[in-house]
Amino acid sequence: MEKAKVYFTKNINGESLVKLYDKLGVKLSGNVAVKLHSGEEGNQNYMKPEFVRDIIEYTNGTVVECNTAYEGKRNTTDKHIKLMEEHGWSKYFNVDILDSDGEDILENPNGEVIKKNIVGSKMKNYDSMLVLSHFKGHPMGGFGGAIKNISIGLASSKGKMYIHTSGEETADFDDMFKADHDSFLKSMADSAKTITDYYKGKIVYINAMVNMSVDCDCCAKAEDPCMQDIGILASIDPVALDQACIDLVYNSNDLGKDELIERIESRNGLLTIDSAVKQEIGIKEYELISLD
């Protein structure tokens, strides 16, 4: 089996993001969506607009997000737009809340747990997608990378609840914490499959291993980073990309990795990668190609 190519650089800057994108050999065309995490109010670890400005301008992309399923400053469109302004996204880029005008259904008949994904109706306005993910821990998923960014990240507010509860149509916030955990992890892979199919051949992924906390950018009060920054990676295969990031953490000499590994393993986070392989989203076997 041919290995997936994952490109890597230790140089963490805007110029490197552009170099990595060019290496992938996929020129995103038409109306380009840039999916990233805009950061919850109070979070200190999310990727800042200045860091990603070069690559977004290079691809002529629109920053896209979806509303959350939990209380905070991003669970309604009005609040979400206001926070994106406060965080500086609107200063540099066009921004779009994909579920601000309703929802669409993407089917996955071969899903292991859920057979559909509920996404923002504005997703159909975009011809291709750049997925910029901040690799870090996560309180429920164990870790967050490319797979999580296109599953939970691209689901509408209702869709996020649907994934978290493994397909409960009438779930509420409390139900997220009662659902079977492994089924939730598998549901993330099921929903991610609908996105990779939707943008087949027109989607690329970049993971930044910076500000690596055990917590997600969705946490208003997140733990400070537990490891030193490692670098930036890019691939057209989100599974290989996330696996490469995991391996860099495990193989690191940074003693702080133990905190992140504990978070990943205690939440059985690697199940999401294994489920994504079953969904044929990508493969775990990769060749790490350094640009340095």
Side-chain angles (χ1 to χ4, degrees):
M1 177 186 295
E2 184 178 357
K3 295 180 179 180
K5 289 182 170 60
V6 178
Y7 297 93
F8 170 72
T9 179
K10 294 179 182 177
N11 296 314
I12 302 169
N13 53 50
E15 182 181 356
S16 293
L17 289 170
V18 174
K19 286 182 178 179
L20 285 166
Y21 169 78
D22 280 340
K23 269 300 198 180
L24 297 176
V26 178
K27 182 173 175 56
L28 300 178
S29 59
N31 202 9
V32 180
V34 180
K35 177 62 184 76
L36 47 74
H37 199 303
S38 56
E40 185 56 73
E41 183 181 53
N43 187 278
Q44 74 276 32
N45 297 323
Y46 71 94
M47 295 189 299
K48 304 304 188 289
E50 293 77 12
F51 172 53
V52 295
R53 184 176 181 180
D54 288 352
I55 184 62
I56 295 176
E57 291 181 347
Y58 188 69
T59 57
N60 194 29
T62 297
V63 172
V64 302
E65 268 277 37
C66 288
N67 292 320
T68 63
Y70 56 83
E71 290 296 324
K73 297 297 185 179
R74 299 186 304 129
N75 65 333
T76 70
T77 299
D78 289 345
K79 288 194 294 182
H80 203 161
I81 289 175
K82 182 179 179 182
L83 186 61
M84 291 185 80
E85 291 173 351
E86 292 173 358
H87 281 180
W89 298 106
S90 305
K91 176 182 177 181
Y92 299 112
F93 319 114
N94 292 325
V95 301
D96 196 5
I97 307 300
L98 296 182
D99 57 336
S100 60
D101 286 342
E103 299 165 326
D104 283 334
I105 302 296
L106 300 181
E107 304 287 349
N108 179 7
N110 297 316
E112 188 174 3
V113 177
I114 59 175
K115 308 295 183 182
K116 69 178 183 181
N117 186 20
I118 308 171
V119 300
S121 61
K122 287 186 176 180
M123 202 171 80
K124 62 178 176 291
N125 297 335
Y126 295 92
D127 305 295
S128 56
M129 180 171 286
L130 169 63
V131 183
L132 293 178
S133 304
H134 174 205
F135 185 88
K136 69 287 183 189
H138 192 276
M140 296 186 74
F143 77 95
I147 298 171
K148 180 181 177 295
N149 203 4
I150 61 171
S151 56
I152 288 288
L154 278 171
S156 68
S157 181
K158 179 180 177 182
K160 287 176 170 61
M161 191 72 69
Y162 188 78
I163 295 168
H164 267 290
T165 59
S166 308
E168 289 292 331
E169 294 281 0
T170 59
D172 60 25
F173 178 77
D174 290 336
D175 292 325
M176 287 200 300
F177 305 99
K178 301 174 185 175
D180 178 72
H181 186 72
D182 284 357
S183 293
F184 153 61
L185 298 175
K186 294 175 183 178
S187 294
M188 281 204 290
D190 292 341
S191 58
K193 173 64 171 174
T194 70
I195 302 300
T196 58
D197 283 352
Y198 188 86
Y199 286 113
K200 194 172 183 66
K202 300 177 181 179
I203 184 169
V204 299
Y205 309 86
I206 299 176
N207 282 6
M209 300 185 74
V210 299
N211 296 336
M212 287 180 288
S213 166
V214 297
D215 286 330
C216 179
D217 300 339
C218 57
C219 299
K221 295 181 179 179
E223 293 288 336
D224 287 331
C226 58
M227 294 183 67
Q228 294 295 314
D229 295 346
I230 291 178
I232 313 172
L233 298 85
S235 183
I236 60 173
D237 185 325
V239 176
L241 181 60
D242 280 357
Q243 184 64 55
C245 291
I246 291 289
D247 291 342
L248 284 170
V249 169
Y250 274 74
N251 294 328
S252 171
N253 294 321
D254 191 324
L255 296 179
K257 73 179 185 180
D258 291 345
E259 290 184 50
L260 186 51
I261 291 172
E262 190 281 332
R263 175 58 58 92
I264 294 168
E265 294 183 350
S266 65
R267 271 63 169 182
N268 199 23
L270 300 183
L271 177 60
T272 302
I273 292 180
D274 292 336
S275 297
V277 172
K278 289 181 180 179
Q279 286 296 305
E280 299 182 346
I281 293 171
I283 59 176
K284 291 197 287 185
E285 296 74 24
Y286 63 89
E287 175 187 6
L288 191 65
I289 303 169
S290 177
L291 303 188
D292 302 332

